[in-house]
Amino acid sequence: MISFAILGCGRIGRMHARNIKAHPRAELVGVYDVVAKAADEVAAELGSRVLGSVDEALNDPKIDAVFIASSTDTHVDLITRSAKAGKAVLCEKPIDLDIARVEACWTEIGKLDPLVMIGFNRRFDPSFKALRDRIQGGELGRLEQVVITSRDPAPPPVQYVKGSGGLFRDMTIHDFDMARYLAGDIVEVQAMGGNLIDPGIKEVGDIDAAMIVMRAASGALVHINNSRRCSYGYDQRVEAFGEKGMLQAHNRRATTVEAWGAEGTQARDPVLNFFIERYFEAYMAEINHFVDCVEKHEKPLAGFPEGREALRLADAALESLNTGRSVRLDG
Amino acid sequence: MISFAILGCGRIGRMHARNIKAHPRAELVGVYDVVAKAADEVAAELGSRVLGSVDEALNDPKIDAVFIASSTDTHVDLITRSAKAGKAVLCEKPIDLDIARVEACWTEIGKLDPLVMIGFNRRFDPSFKALRDRIQGGELGRLEQVVITSRDPAPPPVQYVKGSGGLFRDMTIHDFDMARYLAGDIVEVQAMGGNLIDPGIKEVGDIDAAMIVMRAASGALVHINNSRRCSYGYDQRVEAFGEKGMLQAHNRRATTVEAWGAEGTQARDPVLNFFIERYFEAYMAEINHFVDCVEKHEKPLAGFPEGREALRLADAALESLNTGRSVRLDG
Amino acid sequence: MISFAILGCGRIGRMHARNIKAHPRAELVGVYDVVAKAADEVAAELGSRVLGSVDEALNDPKIDAVFIASSTDTHVDLITRSAKAGKAVLCEKPIDLDIARVEACWTEIGKLDPLVMIGFNRRFDPSFKALRDRIQGGELGRLEQVVITSRDPAPPPVQYVKGSGGLFRDMTIHDFDMARYLAGDIVEVQAMGGNLIDPGIKEVGDIDAAMIVMRAASGALVHINNSRRCSYGYDQRVEAFGEKGMLQAHNRRATTVEAWGAEGTQARDPVLNFFIERYFEAYMAEINHFVDCVEKHEKPLAGFPEGREALRLADAALESLNTGRSVRLDG
Amino acid sequence: MISFAILGCGRIGRMHARNIKAHPRAELVGVYDVVAKAADEVAAELGSRVLGSVDEALNDPKIDAVFIASSTDTHVDLITRSAKAGKAVLCEKPIDLDIARVEACWTEIGKLDPLVMIGFNRRFDPSFKALRDRIQGGELGRLEQVVITSRDPAPPPVQYVKGSGGLFRDMTIHDFDMARYLAGDIVEVQAMGGNLIDPGIKEVGDIDAAMIVMRAASGALVHINNSRRCSYGYDQRVEAFGEKGMLQAHNRRATTVEAWGAEGTQARDPVLNFFIERYFEAYMAEINHFVDCVEKHEKPLAGFPEGREALRLADAALESLNTGRSVRLDG
């Protein structure tokens, strides 16, 4: 049984708190939030204890693991302190918006060989995971092309966008990680962006649509397309093409119903709209993988280096967007 | 090059005339219709000759084959005369509405071993044919169940229904033949019918919806469902289920387009609505098969016996409908 | 918070015990099984209490509801005693294999107006439920035809079949209920059966494949096809066809992956094979509906009468199978 | 009735000759090829006349139109001479591999306002055409993203690649035109290429896989992915994404059959493998559109400027590939 403290009781922290509680080999021993009310609510709902401070969690020898679900600007500090306190860490993405801070963090804690896992939940989606397993099992022969479609249902408030680090660091970061998950290390990035949806996003200097092409060290080519708006739901698809065939992972819906009528046939439901619903199984599997890693002292599928590399790709894409040049990354 | 005369220049005769003209190894040397204007039009369109009478066709030694596309009540007479004249015969379904006349016809001409093919076009549909070929190739192991869905876009005029011989002889006749095509000889029939669409059809003593269950000599069970109306087009599907798997043949559409929107996703076109469009490739392949049989003196996939057996199944279904009893057929 | 006792801790009882434990407004206060070891295991796993007898549950005023998951031959006795003890009852299907005992049970307890729900889990499948809701919402106009495909992955042991009451009472019972759920009361039944899979099943006097056609009081026609074996998984589909369109509910799979290769394209996973996996969401929703009914004193979607009617249809189908006659049911 | 001469009787010329012959308002009055045997064969098959020279066609006042299906290096000369002779011209793509020659050709003949159509057959594919019509009809609202997947079944011989002008001018040229067909004028191009399939292609200085991103004047972003090899057939898909929804055009197959078994479910046929089969309907519709344009003196959907613009995009993509820079095109 692995004992968790949750640091951060916002929407996503609350979801993780419930998943930890539901896990047969995990228990939620404490919750913390700078907003006391948020922590109180989660503790009440799940029968857990409110922690008075981060240190109360880090100093408690009965707590094995901390789940960092607080705001992005606190991640580096909390990862560092938790790792030094000998806790296993599961931290929501991104590690930070500034690659220099990320590098510095790793310089400081890397030598401790801490168990740090970054919440790239999509790696645990059953369909994307099946894609990876089947690619690695050789079903496609050599992997040649990956096409990642990733479109959010609706743009976030401009105020959020302003502090988000921009589309690439905030939204595409998941797709950069998916690219690496399927195709391995990336060595070259080209990006094109547009403002097609919300003029307010342009005003704060960000884009709301993008198309990216990348080259993997293996030679495989990868395409990502992003949109901050999608009328039919949260569009999350991956296509992997190789020498011997193709594997596609498609969207998820609430039912299997198909409707036939004079206007159209085989019409299915809109796709699941909300990320917590769409990735419900993935979030459960993510916790489960982390618990496994803590129990068995194994490296997580998405560790600190994965968080850092995804941010490096976001930075490279931004440089390409700004310069119109293809950007090469060192190995 | 096989020389054809067409007897009957209505809608379906005209379609076949065009297909014969387009066939690389067939030529249309004459056309006949009791309505002279109909024959004139087809001859003019296709550069063929108007025949003054049926005998003109039957006495012409340069004519190899006749295509009988006249009204059902003329079929037996024309098949008989054509067979006696030594012509190869391709006759639209059904042979006749009266099984006694059909039996008598065969008694008279069977001994001549004529080449008579009945226009069960669906046997030549590429998808249904692939189903049969794959079943016979062993892909399903033992065939256990067949489900035939067959729904017309809209009911015919009541006046037509009145003289049609009823749903089973007019519409289901194709499905009975499909059942035999896939599952072989049928030994038992149960039928249930309903009046769900057009009260006028009830008034003339017919049904407009039906569900049938049959047992093949092989043991396989077969279900047919029929409707005289279908809002989304001409619904023509077949499912074959066996020991090792299942094969389904689906509807056809004008394009491969799928539409995604807030109301529904992956919505495809309505299915092809008009039987000539839906079975376009099948009608071409039907002519081609007949030309092959004439050239090679081979038995057609759907000969006179197939026409007779489908009618016997229609009669058995009608008996079951009227008596509420399962009807057994002798081998 | 509704307090449950579980009577019967076999495979299905254990699953329900877990679902009750996971439900936010239910608690599992006791478990009982004639095999003490089974009860011990469930109690240990879920932190519940082992009950020494059925009466211990029925006499405990703190227990609101009993879940009857014991063998079929105990159902009538346990329903009767539980109803008399004033407990809400959720009982696995079927109520009994003998319609006379079922009728007698209802004669005895019906006047108490007990809350008895029968475990027709498929009514709670999100896709089948959406079908029903959309039919009732008028999307199809008049409902004209229903096609239910229901094929088990593999036949049960012959020993089980022997005491099962036969295919119709054991397996088709779910499909009879689905027919009533979608099309309402049934007034006529025709059935055909076959022995296509396991000769041992024939030896004990049962069939292993069936096709049934029924007429609803509304006029709608319903087809059910059953097989005790299905190579590609647990095949559970429903098609509802009406005046204005068609709705289909399809099978469920573990992932959304489609594979493309030289042998075939868009190939999906085998369908979920195990009923507990296939109907996972349905079993959760079933408990939830029951809890709702207990809390709000409402009639369940599937009450005692639904259990009785499904059994009457099974008996009618058996009569049709044995006599070759269409069997009519009184209203 | 429009009278055609065909110049060039290779594989593709022969196909077009057959389509012209089958067209109800076109006739094939003469065929020419530098290889006399090729012309003889086509003339014999289709009952047409062999022309002794190109001039024999251009000087014949009874010939309305010439179809140029000879090798690429002859196109500019034949277009120029035909236009000057007052013939309507339908010329296979590309106009030429050298943009300067293409520009010079247009400088010479543009003032004659000739009817010149370029054989971008995909514009006439029923599904791609439906996509365009529905986009222009407003179904998507503003068009924001286009994803074009275009993969050939197998790489051509290296000898062919050597003289082909390279992947972008030889193969992607169709996709550049599709991009313009759906999204309008293109103003910016980024390209990345790879050698993943045939080392011989690398040796002659070409690539065999590519990913391209473009920006349309409208702001829409367009992605093209290409491969010279595709195990499951000729992969030709288009996705158009907009404000209000998405439209996808999918691959075509020989049948509608889906196979279900222990290994996989709903497996469809490999996609049509051969471009003449895949675009059969498109080639017929292309001839039909040209005949319409000649009869009605209308501008074709794909005129000389479309041929030139597609080549400019190929050149821009090549420049981006070679420089690693985003290339901007003047309006």
Side-chain angles (χ1 to χ4, degrees):
Chain A
M1 193 68 72
I2 305 300
S3 301
F4 279 80
I6 289 248
L7 309 180
C9 295
R11 181 172 65 172
I12 205 157
R14 194 172 303 204
M15 175 199 69
H16 288 302
R18 289 182 186 129
N19 292 351
I20 289 166
K21 161 110 169 132
H23 192 283
R25 301 198 314 282
E27 58 183 343
L28 182 64
V29 299
V31 302
Y32 172 77
D33 199 293
V34 288
V35 180
K37 187 165 172 293
D40 289 348
E41 280 175 19
V42 174
E45 177 189 328
L46 298 173
S48 188
R49 173 163 60 102
V50 175
L51 300 169
S53 67
V54 169
D55 282 333
E56 190 180 335
L58 300 186
N59 293 333
D60 184 341
K62 291 199 300 286
I63 290 177
D64 305 306
V66 297
F67 197 128
I68 302 172
S70 49
S71 61
T72 298
D73 57 356
T74 66
H75 289 182
V76 162
D77 176 56
L78 293 175
I79 291 172
T80 307
R81 288 160 66 190
S82 302
K84 287 184 173 174
K87 304 303 183 192
V89 176
L90 175 42
C91 180
E92 265 302 320
K93 65 94 219 170
I95 300 175
D96 196 88
L97 300 177
D98 177 355
I99 190 71
R101 290 197 72 205
V102 172
E103 301 281 14
C105 175
W106 193 238
T107 301
E108 188 167 357
I109 65 169
K111 57 203 167 214
L112 304 173
D113 194 22
L115 172 46
V116 179
M117 175 166 154
I118 306 301
F120 284 127
N121 56 302
R122 297 185 194 174
R123 289 186 173 229
F124 302 96
D125 176 74
S127 300
F128 297 151
K129 185 167 186 315
L131 229 67
R132 174 171 147 120
D133 290 347
R134 292 169 72 168
I135 291 168
Q136 297 203 332
E139 187 170 332
L140 299 184
R142 179 178 183 176
L143 177 69
E144 295 169 351
Q145 303 195 4
V146 175
V147 175
I148 298 171
T149 299
S150 178
R151 297 165 183 158
D152 277 356
V158 170
Q159 200 50 38
Y160 169 87
V161 170
K162 214 170 164 177
S164 71
L167 185 87
F168 293 150
R169 293 194 192 98
D170 179 57
M171 175 178 168
T172 324
I173 192 109
H174 277 296
D175 308 308
F176 288 125
D177 183 61
M178 182 57 58
R180 295 188 68 252
Y181 183 53
L182 298 176
D185 285 337
I186 300 297
V187 296
E188 188 179 356
V189 180
Q190 283 176 347
M192 199 179 280
N195 287 90
L196 301 172
I197 297 162
D198 182 345
I201 290 177
K202 185 171 188 179
E203 279 165 30
V204 299
D206 199 5
I207 53 176
D208 51 28
M211 285 192 164
I212 297 163
V213 172
M214 306 192 288
R215 188 192 311 277
S218 72
L221 301 175
V222 180
H223 168 64
I224 296 168
N225 64 67
N226 286 148
S227 171
R228 280 287 195 187
R229 177 182 59 198
C230 183
S231 65
Y232 49 85
Y234 184 32
D235 193 357
Q236 297 281 296
R237 286 173 286 148
V238 175
E239 172 175 315
F241 173 82
E243 189 184 0
K244 296 183 187 166
M246 174 166 69
L247 292 167
Q248 296 178 320
H250 290 273
N251 284 304
R252 297 187 61 212
R253 294 167 176 86
T255 77
T256 64
V257 175
E258 292 180 5
W260 300 60
E263 302 303 307
T265 56
Q266 286 188 245
R268 305 206 49 196
D269 298 346
V271 304
L272 290 177
N273 206 49
F274 183 40
F275 73 96
I276 289 181
E277 231 182 335
R278 166 63 177 86
Y279 285 113
F280 173 76
E281 292 172 338
Y283 282 116
M284 296 294 284
E286 178 185 288
I287 292 285
N288 189 58
H289 176 69
F290 180 71
V291 168
D292 274 358
C293 289
V294 178
E295 287 178 345
K296 301 178 190 163
H297 303 284
E298 288 179 356
K299 287 238 172 298
L301 252 178
F304 193 99
E306 277 66 42
R308 181 189 58 205
E309 291 309 306
L311 184 62
R312 285 183 68 215
L313 291 178
D315 286 355
L318 194 58
E319 182 186 338
S320 176
L321 183 77
N322 289 334
T323 62
R325 293 201 67 93
S326 196
V327 174
R328 282 164 204 276
L329 291 102
D330 302 327
Chain B
M1 192 66 74
I2 305 300
S3 300
F4 278 81
I6 289 247
L7 309 180
C9 295
R11 182 173 65 175
I12 204 159
R14 195 172 302 203
M15 175 199 68
H16 288 303
R18 287 182 188 131
N19 291 351
I20 290 167
K21 161 105 169 137
H23 193 283
R25 301 195 317 281
E27 59 185 339
L28 183 64
V29 299
V31 302
Y32 172 77
D33 198 295
V34 290
V35 180
K37 187 166 173 293
D40 289 349
E41 281 176 18
V42 174
E45 177 187 328
L46 298 173
S48 187
R49 173 163 59 102
V50 174
L51 300 168
S53 69
V54 168
D55 282 334
E56 192 179 332
L58 300 186
N59 293 333
D60 184 340
K62 292 197 299 285
I63 290 177
D64 305 306
V66 297
F67 197 126
I68 301 173
S70 48
S71 63
T72 298
D73 58 355
T74 66
H75 288 181
V76 162
D77 177 56
L78 293 175
I79 290 171
T80 307
R81 288 161 67 190
S82 302
K84 287 183 173 175
K87 303 304 186 196
V89 176
L90 176 40
C91 180
E92 264 302 318
K93 64 94 222 170
I95 299 175
D96 196 87
L97 300 177
D98 177 354
I99 189 72
R101 289 197 72 202
V102 171
E103 300 281 13
C105 175
W106 192 240
T107 301
E108 191 168 353
I109 64 168
K111 56 202 168 214
L112 303 173
D113 194 23
L115 171 47
V116 179
M117 175 166 154
I118 305 302
F120 284 127
N121 56 302
R122 297 183 194 175
R123 287 185 177 232
F124 302 96
D125 175 75
S127 299
F128 296 152
K129 186 168 185 313
L131 229 66
R132 175 171 145 121
D133 291 348
R134 292 169 71 168
I135 292 168
Q136 298 205 332
E139 186 169 333
L140 300 184
R142 180 178 184 175
L143 177 69
E144 295 170 350
Q145 304 196 5
V146 176
V147 175
I148 299 172
T149 299
S150 177
R151 297 165 183 157
D152 278 357
V158 170
Q159 201 50 39
Y160 169 87
V161 169
K162 214 170 164 178
S164 70
L167 184 88
F168 293 151
R169 293 194 191 98
D170 180 57
M171 177 177 168
T172 325
I173 192 106
H174 278 296
D175 307 308
F176 289 126
D177 184 62
M178 183 56 61
R180 295 188 67 253
Y181 183 55
L182 298 176
D185 286 336
I186 300 297
V187 297
E188 188 178 356
V189 179
Q190 282 177 348
M192 200 178 280
N195 287 92
L196 302 172
I197 298 162
D198 182 345
I201 290 176
K202 185 172 190 181
E203 279 166 29
V204 299
D206 199 4
I207 53 177
D208 51 27
M211 284 192 166
I212 296 163
V213 172
M214 306 192 289
R215 188 192 312 277
S218 71
L221 301 175
V222 180
H223 168 64
I224 296 169
N225 64 67
N226 287 148
S227 172
R228 281 289 196 185
R229 177 184 59 198
C230 184
S231 65
Y232 49 85
Y234 184 32
D235 192 358
Q236 298 279 296
R237 286 173 287 149
V238 176
E239 172 175 314
F241 173 81
E243 189 185 0
K244 296 183 190 165
M246 176 167 68
L247 292 167
Q248 296 178 319
H250 289 274
N251 284 305
R252 297 185 62 212
R253 295 169 176 85
T255 76
T256 63
V257 174
E258 291 181 5
W260 300 60
E263 301 302 308
T265 55
Q266 285 189 246
R268 304 206 47 195
D269 297 347
V271 304
L272 290 177
N273 207 50
F274 183 40
F275 72 96
I276 289 182
E277 229 181 336
R278 166 64 176 85
Y279 285 113
F280 173 76
E281 291 172 339
Y283 282 116
M284 296 294 284
E286 178 185 287
I287 292 285
N288 188 56
H289 176 68
F290 181 70
V291 167
D292 274 356
C293 289
V294 178
E295 287 178 346
K296 300 179 190 162
H297 303 282
E298 289 179 355
K299 288 239 173 295
L301 252 178
F304 193 100
E306 277 67 41
R308 183 189 57 207
E309 291 309 306
L311 185 61
R312 286 182 69 215
L313 291 177
D315 286 357
L318 194 57
E319 184 186 336
S320 175
L321 183 75
N322 290 333
T323 64
R325 293 201 65 93
S326 195
V327 174
R328 281 165 205 275
L329 290 102
D330 302 328
Chain C
M1 192 67 74
I2 306 299
S3 300
F4 279 80
I6 289 248
L7 310 180
C9 295
R11 180 174 64 172
I12 204 158
R14 195 172 303 204
M15 174 199 69
H16 288 303
R18 288 181 187 130
N19 292 351
I20 289 166
K21 161 108 168 132
H23 193 283
R25 303 197 314 282
E27 58 184 342
L28 183 65
V29 299
V31 302
Y32 172 76
D33 198 293
V34 289
V35 181
K37 186 165 173 291
D40 288 349
E41 281 176 17
V42 174
E45 177 188 329
L46 298 173
S48 187
R49 170 164 62 102
V50 175
L51 300 168
S53 68
V54 168
D55 283 332
E56 192 179 334
L58 300 186
N59 294 334
D60 185 340
K62 291 198 302 287
I63 290 178
D64 305 304
V66 298
F67 197 128
I68 302 173
S70 49
S71 63
T72 299
D73 56 356
T74 66
H75 288 183
V76 162
D77 176 55
L78 293 176
I79 290 171
T80 307
R81 288 160 65 191
S82 302
K84 287 184 173 175
K87 304 302 185 196
V89 176
L90 176 42
C91 180
E92 264 302 319
K93 63 93 219 171
I95 299 175
D96 196 87
L97 300 176
D98 177 354
I99 188 73
R101 289 196 72 205
V102 172
E103 300 281 12
C105 175
W106 193 238
T107 301
E108 190 168 354
I109 64 169
K111 57 203 168 212
L112 303 173
D113 193 24
L115 172 48
V116 179
M117 175 165 154
I118 305 301
F120 284 128
N121 57 301
R122 298 184 194 174
R123 289 185 175 230
F124 302 96
D125 176 75
S127 300
F128 297 152
K129 186 167 185 314
L131 229 68
R132 173 171 146 122
D133 290 347
R134 291 169 72 168
I135 292 168
Q136 298 205 332
E139 185 170 332
L140 299 184
R142 181 178 181 175
L143 178 69
E144 294 170 352
Q145 304 195 5
V146 175
V147 175
I148 298 171
T149 299
S150 177
R151 298 165 181 156
D152 277 357
V158 170
Q159 200 51 38
Y160 170 87
V161 170
K162 213 171 167 177
S164 71
L167 185 87
F168 293 150
R169 293 194 192 98
D170 179 57
M171 176 178 168
T172 325
I173 192 105
H174 277 296
D175 308 309
F176 288 125
D177 183 62
M178 183 56 59
R180 296 188 67 252
Y181 183 55
L182 298 176
D185 285 338
I186 300 296
V187 296
E188 189 179 354
V189 179
Q190 283 177 349
M192 199 178 280
N195 288 90
L196 302 171
I197 297 162
D198 182 344
I201 291 176
K202 185 172 189 180
E203 278 165 30
V204 298
D206 199 5
I207 53 177
D208 51 27
M211 284 191 167
I212 296 164
V213 172
M214 306 193 288
R215 189 192 311 278
S218 71
L221 301 175
V222 180
H223 168 64
I224 296 169
N225 64 66
N226 287 148
S227 172
R228 279 289 196 187
R229 177 184 59 200
C230 183
S231 64
Y232 49 84
Y234 185 31
D235 193 358
Q236 297 280 297
R237 286 173 286 149
V238 175
E239 172 176 316
F241 173 81
E243 189 184 1
K244 297 184 188 165
M246 176 166 68
L247 293 167
Q248 296 178 320
H250 289 274
N251 284 305
R252 296 185 62 211
R253 295 168 176 86
T255 76
T256 64
V257 175
E258 292 180 5
W260 301 60
E263 301 303 307
T265 55
Q266 286 189 245
R268 304 205 49 195
D269 297 347
V271 304
L272 290 177
N273 206 51
F274 183 40
F275 72 95
I276 288 181
E277 229 182 337
R278 167 65 176 84
Y279 286 113
F280 172 74
E281 291 173 339
Y283 282 116
M284 296 295 284
E286 179 185 285
I287 292 285
N288 189 57
H289 176 69
F290 180 71
V291 168
D292 274 357
C293 290
V294 177
E295 288 178 344
K296 302 178 190 163
H297 302 284
E298 289 179 354
K299 289 238 171 295
L301 251 179
F304 193 100
E306 278 65 43
R308 181 188 59 205
E309 292 309 305
L311 185 62
R312 286 182 68 215
L313 291 177
D315 286 355
L318 195 56
E319 184 186 337
S320 175
L321 183 76
N322 289 334
T323 64
R325 293 201 65 93
S326 195
V327 174
R328 281 165 206 275
L329 290 103
D330 303 326
Chain D
M1 193 66 75
I2 305 300
S3 300
F4 279 82
I6 289 248
L7 310 180
C9 295
R11 182 175 65 173
I12 204 158
R14 196 171 302 203
M15 175 199 68
H16 288 303
R18 288 181 187 129
N19 290 353
I20 289 166
K21 162 110 167 131
H23 193 282
R25 301 196 317 281
E27 59 184 342
L28 183 63
V29 298
V31 302
Y32 172 77
D33 199 294
V34 289
V35 180
K37 187 165 171 294
D40 289 349
E41 281 176 17
V42 173
E45 176 188 327
L46 298 173
S48 187
R49 174 164 59 101
V50 174
L51 300 168
S53 68
V54 168
D55 282 333
E56 192 179 332
L58 300 185
N59 293 334
D60 184 340
K62 292 199 300 287
I63 290 178
D64 305 307
V66 297
F67 197 128
I68 301 172
S70 48
S71 61
T72 297
D73 57 356
T74 66
H75 288 182
V76 161
D77 176 55
L78 292 176
I79 290 171
T80 307
R81 287 161 66 191
S82 302
K84 287 184 173 174
K87 305 303 184 195
V89 176
L90 176 41
C91 181
E92 264 302 319
K93 65 93 220 172
I95 300 174
D96 197 87
L97 301 177
D98 177 354
I99 190 70
R101 288 197 72 204
V102 172
E103 301 281 13
C105 175
W106 192 238
T107 301
E108 187 166 357
I109 64 168
K111 57 203 168 212
L112 304 173
D113 193 22
L115 172 46
V116 178
M117 175 165 154
I118 305 302
F120 283 127
N121 57 301
R122 296 183 195 175
R123 288 185 174 229
F124 302 96
D125 176 75
S127 300
F128 296 150
K129 187 170 184 311
L131 229 67
R132 174 171 146 121
D133 291 348
R134 291 169 73 168
I135 292 168
Q136 297 204 333
E139 187 170 332
L140 299 184
R142 179 177 183 176
L143 177 70
E144 295 170 351
Q145 303 197 4
V146 175
V147 175
I148 298 171
T149 299
S150 177
R151 297 165 183 159
D152 278 356
V158 170
Q159 201 50 38
Y160 170 87
V161 169
K162 212 170 166 176
S164 70
L167 185 87
F168 293 149
R169 293 194 191 99
D170 179 57
M171 175 177 168
T172 325
I173 192 107
H174 278 295
D175 307 309
F176 289 125
D177 183 62
M178 183 57 59
R180 295 188 67 251
Y181 183 55
L182 298 176
D185 285 336
I186 299 297
V187 296
E188 188 179 355
V189 180
Q190 282 176 348
M192 199 178 281
N195 288 90
L196 302 172
I197 299 162
D198 182 345
I201 290 176
K202 185 172 188 180
E203 279 166 28
V204 298
D206 199 5
I207 53 178
D208 50 29
M211 285 192 165
I212 296 163
V213 172
M214 305 193 289
R215 188 192 312 276
S218 72
L221 301 176
V222 180
H223 168 64
I224 296 168
N225 64 67
N226 287 148
S227 172
R228 280 288 195 188
R229 177 182 61 198
C230 183
S231 65
Y232 50 85
Y234 184 32
D235 193 357
Q236 296 279 295
R237 287 173 285 149
V238 175
E239 172 175 316
F241 173 82
E243 189 184 359
K244 296 183 189 166
M246 175 167 68
L247 292 167
Q248 295 179 320
H250 289 274
N251 284 305
R252 297 185 62 212
R253 295 168 176 87
T255 77
T256 63
V257 174
E258 291 181 4
W260 300 60
E263 301 303 308
T265 56
Q266 286 187 246
R268 304 206 49 195
D269 298 346
V271 304
L272 290 177
N273 207 50
F274 183 40
F275 72 96
I276 289 182
E277 231 181 336
R278 166 65 178 83
Y279 285 112
F280 173 75
E281 292 173 337
Y283 283 117
M284 295 295 283
E286 177 185 287
I287 292 285
N288 188 58
H289 176 69
F290 180 70
V291 168
D292 273 358
C293 290
V294 178
E295 287 179 346
K296 301 178 189 163
H297 302 286
E298 289 178 354
K299 289 239 172 297
L301 253 177
F304 193 100
E306 277 67 41
R308 182 190 56 207
E309 291 309 306
L311 185 61
R312 286 182 67 215
L313 291 177
D315 286 355
L318 194 56
E319 183 186 337
S320 175
L321 183 75
N322 289 334
T323 64
R325 293 200 66 93
S326 196
V327 174
R328 284 166 203 274
L329 291 103
D330 302 326

